[in-house]
Amino acid sequence: MAVRITSVAKQLPKYTRETKDILPYVALWLEGQEERFKRKVLKIFENAAVDRRYSIMSPEEVFLKTSFEEKNDIYVRESIKLAEKSLLKALDKANLEPTDLDYIITVSCTGIMIPSLDAYLINRLKLKQDIVRLPVTEMGCAAGVSGILYAKNFLKANPNKRAVVIAVESPTATFQLDDYSMVNIVSAAIFGDGCASVILSSHEDEVGPEIKDEAMYHFYDAEHMMGFKLRNTGLQMVLDRSVPQTIEDHFPNIIHPFLEKNGLTIEDVDHLVFHPGGKKIVQTVEDLFGDLGKNIDDTKEVLRLYGNMSSATVLYVLERFMDRKLPKGDTGIMLSFGPGFSAQRILLEW
């Protein structure tokens, strides 16, 4: 029984700025810091390969000394709005009603909600009263692919059902105003906010790329590399500088055995649906695959247009491929990395 992805739809937050228009706010935030340090920080923003980003908060709110409680309240309020709009768009693309869904997976790591996001959507859209819920937290950037993996396994066991994965993230709500560390600065330079919904189906007559296989890959002794620390001021980003090199070292083991299991090599793969972690990770992947004639142009373009939106970002990349109506038989790999440290992989066939 085939499980297919039938639609993907994004929803952008209401506030947006080009990076050049954010620089004055950054300069103001840096007042009192050493001049050389200021120039270095501004260069990081300018060279991050992110031209624009979106946010659930205005720049003024981001750079105000607000409490964790105040920022989380905004996260809760705006996440519900973004998720509802994104889900309705995905349903419309698939020509479905809210009551056609049997399983809802909500994904986020940049705020705290109890009840979780899915409960609000069930009430606002009057989803089925027996819909199965799964909120996924604490998996960071990898969770967009993880959510699809969990949905696929549910649908594989349940014919003629539909699932939705909704990823909503607000990294700007985690910005630490009194933290001038490189981790906080680099995170602010590459991350943005966003939401996306993916609908999957195990109905035989529905169309879309089929999920042929999926797998996780866990890096040993790498818990320190990526995540958040819960502080009185909110969620403080953890991002080790060794992440790009670690990914490069493990890439052969992540990609080749997974493809070999499915009778493929990287040369057989038509499309790389990769999460854009940041400029360095993008360059790492290009260096590895460029000689094979493969490109991650869509990954780079999503990073440029929106920044890294944690779990939602790879779904923005997937939407670009879905909207192209690719030829039957084309193959693709979805790939994202997240705290743990881990890689999540999905093999698609159109």
Side-chain angles (χ1 to χ4, degrees), residues 42-177:
L42 292 173
K43 278 293 181 188
I44 289 172
F45 274 80
E46 290 170 346
N47 296 329
V50 178
D51 289 353
R52 176 180 288 275
R53 74 203 69 218
Y54 293 76
S55 175
I56 64 171
M57 294 180 283
S58 69
E60 292 81 6
E61 287 176 304
V62 174
F63 288 97
L64 280 175
K65 199 172 181 65
T66 48
S67 68
F68 181 24
E69 180 181 353
E70 289 168 318
K71 285 186 176 177
N72 198 71
D73 284 346
I74 297 172
Y75 162 85
V76 171
R77 183 188 71 226
E78 297 302 321
S79 292
I80 295 168
K81 293 178 187 176
L82 290 172
E84 181 178 9
K85 290 177 181 177
S86 173
L87 176 52
L88 288 172
K89 283 182 181 179
L91 288 167
D92 184 61
K93 279 187 174 182
N95 197 26
L96 298 173
E97 297 297 326
T99 49
D100 291 323
L101 298 173
D102 304 286
Y103 189 32
I104 180 170
I105 300 173
T106 49
V107 168
S108 191
C109 68
T110 45
I112 297 171
M113 292 176 68
I114 303 174
S116 51
L117 177 62
D118 44 12
Y120 293 93
L121 296 174
I122 289 168
N123 284 285
R124 289 169 80 104
L125 298 180
K126 294 296 181 278
L127 304 181
K128 289 177 179 177
Q129 283 191 287
D130 63 351
I131 193 168
V132 178
R133 298 167 54 196
L134 177 63
V136 177
T137 63
E138 302 169 0
M139 292 192 75
C141 296
V145 174
S146 302
I148 294 175
L149 190 155
Y150 302 145
K152 183 259 186 179
N153 287 334
F154 171 85
L155 293 171
K156 196 75 176 173
N158 294 277
N160 299 316
K161 299 288 185 181
R162 298 185 184 92
V164 65
V165 178
I166 305 165
V168 57
E169 301 284 12
S170 176
T172 55
T174 71
F175 176 69
Q176 300 290 298
L177 195 66

Side-chain angles (χ1 to χ4, degrees), residues 164-220:
V164 65
V165 178
I166 305 165
V168 57
E169 301 284 12
S170 176
T172 55
T174 71
F175 176 69
Q176 300 290 298
L177 195 66
D178 297 325
D179 180 1
Y180 294 95
S181 69
M182 276 298 115
V183 171
N184 192 47
I185 289 162
V186 170
S187 300
I190 64 174
F191 280 98
D193 301 349
C195 177
S197 294
V198 182
I199 294 177
L200 303 93
S201 175
S202 57
H203 285 259
E204 290 185 10
D205 58 344
E206 295 190 355
V207 297
E210 180 183 351
I211 298 175
K212 302 296 287 186
D213 197 9
E214 79 289 327
M216 294 186 181
Y217 178 95
H218 301 288
F219 297 64
Y220 289 127

Side-chain angles (χ1 to χ4, degrees), residues 267-287:
E267 288 82 1
D268 300 317
V269 176
D270 301 294
H271 309 293
L272 305 179
V273 188
F274 285 5
H275 168 76
K279 184 178 177 181
K280 286 186 177 180
I281 294 176
V282 166
Q283 288 172 339
T284 296
V285 175
E286 283 194 311
D287 291 343

Side-chain angles (χ1 to χ4, degrees), residues 258-307:
F258 177 63
L259 291 175
E260 286 168 11
K261 187 176 71 161
N262 289 277
L264 299 171
T265 67
I266 189 62
E267 288 82 1
D268 300 317
V269 176
D270 301 294
H271 309 293
L272 305 179
V273 188
F274 285 5
H275 168 76
K279 184 178 177 181
K280 286 186 177 180
I281 294 176
V282 166
Q283 288 172 339
T284 296
V285 175
E286 283 194 311
D287 291 343
L288 288 166
F289 287 150
D291 292 341
L292 298 172
K294 309 297 177 184
N295 73 76
I296 52 168
D297 292 346
D298 287 281
T299 292
K300 289 194 294 184
E301 190 67 357
V302 166
L303 182 65
R304 185 182 73 81
L305 293 173
Y306 313 108

